[in-house]
Amino acid sequence: MCRFLLYKSNSPILLADLLTRPAHSIIMQSTNCKLRMDMGQSNGDGFGIGWFDEPRTKGCIFTSTLPAWSNINLQRLAEKIKSGLVFAHVRATTGGTATSETNCHPWQYGNLMWMHNGNIGGFEAIKRRLQNSLREEIYLWIQGTTDSEHAFALFLNMLDDPLHRTEFSHRELRQAMLRTIEQINVWLDEAGIADTSLMNFAVTDGQSVVCTRYITSSEREGASLFYSSGSEFRSEEESGQYRMVKANKREDVVVVASEPLTYERSDWMVIPTNTLLVITPRLNVRLYPILDQYWNPHRGRQKHLQACC
Amino acid sequence: MLSPAPQLRQALHQTLSVGPDHGAVLALAQTRDLLIAGTQRGDILAWSRTTFRRTHAALGAHSAGCLSLALDAERHVLFSGGGDGRVRAWDARTLAPLYTVHAGENAGGVLALAYFGAMDALALGCQNASVQWFDVGRRRAMVGGELAERRSRFFDGRAADSGAASPDPSGPAYVVDERCIAAYAHTGYVYCALAGQLADGRAALFTAGGDGAVRVWAVTDDGQPPQQLHVLVRPAGAGTNDADSDSDDDDDDSCVHALALGADGLLFAGLQNGAICVWDLETMQCIRTLAPASGAAPSVFALLAAGGLLYAGGADGQVRVWTTTDLQPAGHLASVDAENRDPVLALAGGGGSGSSSAGDGEVVVGGGGDVGVWAVGWRDSHVPQQLDLPTTPGQQQQQQVDATAAPQDMLRTLGRWVQLRSVAGVPELQPECRRAALFLRDLLLQHGAADARLLAGAAGANPLVYARFDATSGGARGAAFAPGTPTVLVYGHYDVMPAGDSALWASPAFAMRGRDGHVYGRGVSDDKGPVLAMLLAVADLHVRGRLALPVVFCIEGEEERGSLGLQAAVETHRALFGAPRVVLLSSAYWLGERTPCLTYGMRGSIRATVRVAAPERSADVHAGVWGGAVSEPLACLSHVLARLVAPGGRVLVPGFYDAVRTVGAAETRAMRRLVRWITDKEAEAPLVARTAAASPQPERRKATRARLHDQLMRRWRFPTLTVHHVDVSTGAAPSNATLVPAAAQASLSVRVVPDQSLADIAAGLRAHIEHVFAECCAGGVDEALRLELDVQPVAQWWLADPAAPVYRLAAQAIREAWALDGSDGNAATEPESEDESNPDSDDETGTGTGTGSTPLLIREGGSIPAVPWLEAFFAPHAVAVNLPMGQSSDNAHLANERISIENLIRGRDVVYRLLDGIADVVDTQNP
């Protein structure tokens, strides 16, 4: 169970404004997260940040097995690096995988970058099958042992020539994402796995972002995921509190995070469970329900159903 | 023959300050009376559509941005949608909060609202891609706990929630029923929701948003949520600039930020990529894509279709305009401030008639900075344009004379008049002065004057404008007055002060601009605005057949230069004026900002120049060579000047104060009441604020009052002498401090008060200066000095009796026009307060000044030569009444001269009411 954060904007942001400074920054979430389903509070098994500087060029990734809160290099880099597209991840290992740099999110392949919050229940039962399905170059690329990296490999396998292409339409990424989830579900079913899987995936080609909040259950809520959009994410001069400024109708900034970065309630919206969120190159936010066997619009709590009309 | 394309006529009518505390304006709405804005910080601001003043303090409506507004015009309900996921309902007249509606869970912001009057229902466009339907008419109280279930583990689990959740507004709360939510109605934020109808007349909801799709929904009044009918499809690549644009609609990446519905079944969608798609709702087909002719197209954030025009507000701060009939570009609203590139985020208004000819509409533009109110319409370019004149008499007939009448016509006319730079005494501006006179003459004729013409002034000076409105109910009519025919004379002036330092003006002095309920420009307050208001009041009475006496106008063009030629012209044309019973003018200011005043006295003035010259040498000489051997003109002049006024301000001319009327006890009491009123009720007025700040003990109101009392007495009640400037004849540079000048001169003025005689004071001044000069010369060096003294009486003091019937009528007119509650303005009937234990009788001396009641009776320290002269010339019946229209902060004669629109409207109403009742207070019989 991990926490992740992604940011896309027309204007680069200093990483510190996302990672270290806000009241509930990803660093805070690494030591004191609030919404983990297992009620754990620390995500100290390494971290990773990935960022892009120019469109159509590869991003850069910095990972470490140290806890994010104790890595002084992260603090230093965050005060200097600016980017308009950032992935950040703090890890709590699952499934007994090693705490190693190869197992730290995010991963990248060509221009594509990927991270995952959650776990694929009973992944060992389908791991061999998944690997067998991969094209050779993708299979050989895998370095770590996690379900997350394997899910990325499966996603890459859904795309034509993912290594050499610099851009993908967001529709293509969205469809590959849906097919990845669909394929994992098929194998899990075939393997008779009853464990619940949490598949909060995020992928980007440096321009579009596709992410999911997904659970293989039609009753339970998925691992938490929030989003916020507006014209600028910055701290207010008087209070120092970070706010999503909404100065016009256009969305110039979109942030997606496992937990809100601030305590400004109206700045953060829940991504409904089993929903796919797209941030288009022009920063339009799209929300698509994932209409499979686990889709349930009335998921969650008992509703009042008195007549309204 | 092709008729030329119609031209858009547009003018920025008024700029309204929003202020940095509120952030950008995200939504706009108009009721009949109010202009309402929703802001980034979640506030609702409201202005009067008539006076453009803020009518309410900012309402904190939402905790995270007021994103949308909708109006139920019939039931007078205003709905606001917020970033906090709430809709709040307000009384659209009083802005009192009514109730709150919570959108469905996790809706995010309510980005769009559409109200359906027939169903009394509200459609919400939400950030989570849902469209929600709230049946206003059948709303039911919220079940307890409905919102409690929405507790967030993250936000509400926190022990010390730092107030991130906005406090629940008071009043009933409702929640959108879950079955009335179309989740994923779009796949993007639902930025637009529009209530309209289909070609067959069925009511329909149009929504659009971040997914670029436009959806059409059937709405019914059976309480059911809308049902989707159509998805409007854009042709492949419509209006996209991307070469690589994918034709799959699902992959389109150009969101729709705005929708508008034309009167003729056309739906317009403004796109992120700057294009505007046009659908025919009959065929549901996209028939056109409008795009700017050239250049990169800025995103379209706001659309408004009204009066045959489509307005598109863009990210670049421009509002582009198309015709909705033939979809042709019709220009854009010219941004006054070229540097203002805040995006246009909201448009409202329209109004105007549907016809494309004379339809005058109002378009309100909001965005990052101020709110602009534009007057728009068509100009038929093939109609010859002579003097672009205001309303015709025919139109005038339809106007209602009440304070709420739209002021646009008056302001538009004033704006044109202000453009004419009628500064008297500047040779190159003489033609403009003449044009300003002709403009006024034509205006008078258009408003029903039986006669209007220019009267020659002094040689080389500007003409006077004369006009006559015949009586319509009893008084004399016709081209010539029998001697002694009772009339009303309206006096004013069309000349203005020079603009002065243009750097001090926030906007060009001779281009009238409106801001926050005022219009700014040279002459708006002194005296073109008040003259126009008087003219329109007379015209209204004339059209309604309510003029009991003929009204003659005498509007001169040399007032700021001492009314050069006025007397001769009036004397020459005496027969044109009849026998005025009242000389009406509006050339004075309120004492403060809020309390209407009535001016009944002014000081007189005398101008003098004193020149001391050494006649035996025509040039300056070197002080080192000649100093001590020549007489010193400047030193002599300084001696003379030093003997005019003592350091404390007391005038040293013998006998100067002898004739000054004694200040009576009643007058002092009345003055105290006036001072008390003004310090209590007008603390922010410049006069009071300055006095209070200068007071040694600013916390003590009593000290402020004492100072103010003293100031006003000195300004109104006592004479004074001022040395304006001192000059030397030296031809050398001012920095040459080695010369003895050959001559020196000073200009002075004296302000005189009742009962000083102008002639006596002038003679006394002359004698005193000659005496002092002689003293200085006695025992001087050989070379004689010569004194050249010019003393000119300019204006007699003027004092009316505020207890006279016409003043009582004027006070009544002011109270009615300003809706003041009211006891009589006369001092005697005002109840005594506090320490005034001794109520005084009528102030028989006529010097009793203001009262504690309204309007305040005030005097002015300045002089208007024409007033006492006209009164005297048309004696014995004529009484002058000076009705101040402007506020004390109007900056007459200074940079940024302005007048409040409300003051103009009500000022016009005061004149209307005064003249409407004039027959009751003056002798209308020809003696």
Side-chain angles (χ1 to χ4, degrees), chain B residues 316-357:
Chain B
D316 61 345
Q318 296 282 308
V319 176
R320 294 180 174 78
V321 188
W322 281 268
T323 61
T324 54
T325 42
D326 45 9
L327 303 178
Q328 292 302 304
H332 62 279
L333 300 186
S335 182
V336 189
D337 180 2
E339 287 163 25
N340 180 11
R341 285 288 176 250
D342 290 325
V344 174
L345 301 175
L347 293 166
S353 62
S355 86
S356 62
S357 57

Side-chain angles (χ1 to χ4, degrees), chain B residues 152 181 225 278 285 335 346 358 420 536 545 586 617 639 657 742:
Chain B
S152 153
I181 296 173
V278 187
Q285 193 178 23
S335 182
L420 300 171
L536 293 175
S586 175
R617 57 186 169 95
H639 280 294
Y657 293 97

Side-chain angles (χ1 to χ4, degrees), chain A residues 174 263 265 280 286-287 301, chain B residues 105 156 164 187 250 252-253:
Chain A
R174 171 164 57 93
Y263 294 98
R265 176 191 297 259
T280 71
R286 305 280 189 89
L287 293 160
R301 55 189 168 78
Chain B
E105 190 172 10
D156 297 323
T187 60
D250 195 28
D252 192 346
D253 188 14

Side-chain angles (χ1 to χ4, degrees), chain A residues 24 34-36 39 169-171 174 226-227 229 243 245-251 259-260 262-266 268-270 272 275 280-282 284-289 295 298 301-309, chain B residues 24 26 40 63-64 83-84 105-106 108 127-128 138 140 143 146 149 153-156 158 161 164-165 177-180 184 187-189 191 210-211 223 242 246 248 250-255 257 272-273 301 315 345:
Chain A
H24 194 58
K34 296 178 176 302
L35 299 178
R36 260 173 61 176
M39 298 300 174
S169 77
H170 57 85
R171 179 170 50 103
R174 171 164 57 93
F226 294 81
Y227 69 113
S229 71
R243 291 285 330 240
V245 179
K246 291 166 183 167
N248 61 42
K249 281 188 163 178
R250 182 169 47 196
E251 313 305 328
E259 296 184 11
T262 67
Y263 294 98
E264 301 293 343
R265 176 191 297 259
S266 55
W268 297 95
M269 279 156 304
V270 170
T275 297
T280 71
R282 286 186 172 152
N284 291 310
V285 177
R286 305 280 189 89
L287 293 160
Y288 299 88
W295 175 247
H298 305 295
R301 55 189 168 78
Q302 185 66 36
K303 304 282 185 182
H304 291 269
L305 289 173
Q306 283 89 346
C308 79
C309 311
Chain B
L26 304 178
Q40 181 186 338
S63 63
D84 52 5
E105 190 172 10
N106 294 328
Q127 199 171 352
N128 70 343
R138 297 173 191 153
R140 54 165 188 87
V143 174
E146 233 168 341
E149 289 187 356
R153 232 178 103 193
F154 182 82
F155 294 108
D156 297 323
R158 206 157 164 247
D161 193 324
D177 189 281
E178 213 169 311
R179 286 169 303 177
C180 295
Y184 302 105
T187 60
Y189 294 4
Y191 288 110
D211 55 356
D242 311 0
D246 195 316
D248 185 332
D250 195 28
D251 213 24
D252 192 346
D253 188 14
S254 199
C255 91
H257 279 303
Q272 187 177 23
N273 66 18
F301 286 152
L345 301 175

Side-chain angles (χ1 to χ4, degrees), chain A residues 3 20 106 108 116 120 146 179 196 204 209 219 221 225 228-229 231 246 256 264 274 297:
Chain A
R3 304 280 84 178
T20 57
Q108 65 178 345
H116 173 206
I120 298 173
T146 59
R179 284 171 56 205
T196 305
T204 180
V209 175
E219 296 302 326
E221 295 286 359
L225 198 59
S228 179
S229 71
S231 23
K246 291 166 183 167
V256 177
E264 301 293 343
N274 286 16

